Each structure stands twice: as structure tokens, then as C-alpha cells.
Amino acid sequence: MSDTHNALVTRFYEAFQRLDAEAMSACYTDDVVFSDPAFGELRGRDAGDMWRMLTTRAKDFSLTFDNVRSDERTGGAHWVATYLFSQTGNTVVNDIQARFVFRDGKICEHHDSFDLWRWSRQALGTKGLLLGWTPLVRNAVRAQALKGLRAFQASR
């Protein structure tokens, strides 16, 4: 167990609970690699901007986290975010496993995994239930997420 890395991960999620994207981004190296099923892979500033976008748009948001663990190089955590999906007004409870790689006291890789079909059923309703497992919907979700990120970045 690495107390330093456990504290870093805890600081990241406590900042997320406060919707403080700047404090979250400060936990990352400048060249961080982030990935998840919705956004795919993001690097560097794009990862921080994703959190900035998500925290500024969050509605009816809450987050819990547990099972923070780490060693000298890697770590992980479990977290659950509950929020209102703005495009449909549906409530989403997203259950996520996170994996981390650390370098120089910061997170240099952050990989979130969750069931995109489960997410799409909640966020998109019937369309997600019927088609959320298909590559078509998965690609559409990713395209929409990246489009939203680029629009957010352009507006700053």
C-alpha cells in the first residue's frame, strides 16, 4: 500500500464530490492519459477539460467512492456517480471501476471502466435499452461526448 498514492486518489475524488475540476486536474501529470467507454482516450489538457465540462454541467450530482488501493506504481478505486443526464432529463447511476498509474506523485494514467449498455439504458431510455449494446450506439455516444468536449473547449 502506498499512503501517498491513496491520499492522491482520495484527494481526486473528494474534489470531484465538490465539483472542483481544477483540484482534480492538479492530481494529473501534464501528459496524463485518460480513457473511458464514453469519451475513449483523452490526453493531457483534454482530460482536464473533460472534467471541467462535466463538473460545470452537473445537475443533481452526487458521488461516492471506496476501495481506494495502490502500490508504488499503480492503483485503483470504485466510484458511483449519480446525476441528471441533461439531454434526456433521466437520472443515471453510473458504477465505475478506476485504474491508475502514478508518476512523480501524480496520476499519469486514469482508466475508468463501466457498462456502457447499462449507462445507455439509464441515460437514453428505450433507445439505449434496445440499441445500447450495439457498436452504432457506442460510436454515437463517443462522437457526441467528443463533440460536446470540443464545443466546451471552443467556448473557453
Side-chain angles (χ1 to χ4, degrees), residues 81-156:
T82 303
Y83 57 93
L84 198 65
F85 185 62
S86 60
Q87 293 177 5
T88 60
N90 293 340
T91 298
V92 172
V93 179
N94 203 8
D95 191 313
I96 301 162
Q97 290 295 326
R99 292 181 300 109
F100 302 99
V101 177
F102 307 107
R103 185 180 72 231
D104 301 328
K106 292 192 172 192
I107 298 166
C108 64
E109 290 185 33
H110 178 177
H111 305 283
D112 281 345
S113 60
F114 59 87
D115 183 338
L116 190 61
W117 187 21
R118 183 176 188 271
W119 177 88
S120 68
R121 290 191 310 259
Q122 295 176 76
L124 305 175
T126 303
K127 178 182 174 184
L129 172 65
L130 297 175
L131 301 172
W133 59 272
T134 66
L136 177 70
V137 171
R138 288 175 189 234
N139 292 338
V141 165
R142 184 166 295 161
Q144 187 64 31
L146 291 174
K147 180 180 175 185
L149 177 58
R150 298 300 175 232
F152 174 80
Q153 290 172 319
S155 72
R156 294 186 75 205

Side-chain angles (χ1 to χ4, degrees), residues 33-42 99 109-113:
V33 175
F34 172 87
S35 68
D36 82 356
F39 284 90
E41 185 176 288
L42 301 174
R99 292 181 300 109
E109 290 185 33
H110 178 177
H111 305 283
D112 281 345
S113 60

Side-chain angles (χ1 to χ4, degrees), residues 22-60:
E22 296 309 318
M24 293 169 71
S25 295
C27 296
Y28 283 164
T29 60
D30 290 341
D31 64 346
V32 68
V33 175
F34 172 87
S35 68
D36 82 356
F39 284 90
E41 185 176 288
L42 301 174
R43 293 179 173 270
R45 180 127 180 109
D46 284 350
D49 284 347
M50 175 202 60
W51 295 121
R52 289 175 186 92
M53 177 184 75
L54 293 175
T55 57
T56 58
R57 294 180 179 175
K59 299 216 182 320
D60 296 333

